[in-house]
Amino acid sequence: MVISATNKMFLLTFVLFVLCVVLFFVLVSLRRNEKTLQWDNFIRRGQTRRTDNGDTNHWYYVIRDLDKIRTLADIRHIERSSRLEVTHSGFVVHGIDYEIAFDRVPSSSLEPTSSAQDDDYILTLVKRKIYPWDMKVKPGATDMG
């Protein structure tokens, strides 16, 4: 059986198309696994209130209030590029697109020696960076300078 030049080009094109489709699905699955692993590491960071050396694990409070943060602001990627800044009144989580503030709530015990061991933190501010494409025009508003 002899394959004509037209059929050879069709078969070659078909094989290349199938290879591209397979490569696309492999890359999508790798990216998905990477995002899942990144999210799992982020959640694992905040599993306990205390670190191994006894310090306060501030990520615990961020993970605990994650649902509140999501309802207050549409933050798409809280796990990437976040850093903590401990302040006098609590701590602040700085990210690329957001800033989340937590304030310290002192313990209700009467013992003055319990200081930081029983302190709790409460979510006080979620500030998200607004991009021009996120802004919504109010109905009836005009842009007539």
Side-chain angles (χ1 to χ4, degrees):
M1 180 172 155
V2 177
I3 300 176
S4 67
T6 308
N7 287 342
K8 286 181 184 176
M9 279 305 270
F10 174 75
L11 287 174
L12 180 64
T13 306
F14 180 74
V15 168
L16 287 175
F17 173 74
V18 169
L19 274 169
C20 288
V21 169
V22 168
L23 182 64
F24 173 76
F25 283 113
V26 166
L27 290 175
V28 166
S29 67
L30 286 174
R31 178 68 177 144
R32 186 173 168 191
N33 288 341
E34 178 186 349
K35 290 292 284 179
T36 303
L37 181 64
Q38 185 181 21
W39 183 252
D40 290 343
N41 288 336
F42 179 70
I43 296 296
R44 193 176 309 120
R45 216 185 329 182
Q47 285 184 340
T48 59
R49 274 183 187 246
R50 300 269 170 222
T51 59
D52 293 337
N53 59 359
D55 294 337
T56 302
N57 182 8
H58 295 349
W59 287 108
Y60 168 81
Y61 301 101
V62 176
I63 300 299
R64 180 187 70 181
D65 292 338
L66 205 52
D67 292 333
K68 290 180 189 175
I69 293 168
R70 284 187 177 155
T71 57
L72 291 174
D74 182 29
I75 298 174
R76 293 184 264 298
H77 304 288
I78 194 169
E79 73 275 4
R80 71 172 184 183
S81 303
S82 300
R83 66 178 175 81
L84 286 171
E85 177 188 346
V86 179
T87 62
H88 179 67
S89 62
F91 67 94
V92 179
V93 180
H94 296 282
I96 293 174
D97 299 333
Y98 59 87
E99 186 175 301
I100 305 167
F102 286 82
D103 282 349
R104 180 176 300 141
V105 178
S107 63
S108 60
S109 67
L110 299 175
E111 302 173 21
T113 59
S114 62
S115 67
Q117 294 294 334
D118 297 323
D119 282 350
D120 196 8
Y121 293 88
I122 187 167
L123 178 67
T124 55
L125 173 72
V126 178
K127 185 167 69 172
R128 184 175 155 268
K129 182 178 180 182
I130 303 290
Y131 294 103
W133 53 84
D134 289 336
M135 292 196 176
K136 295 179 179 141
V137 178
K138 294 179 184 176
T142 58
D143 190 22
M144 294 187 184

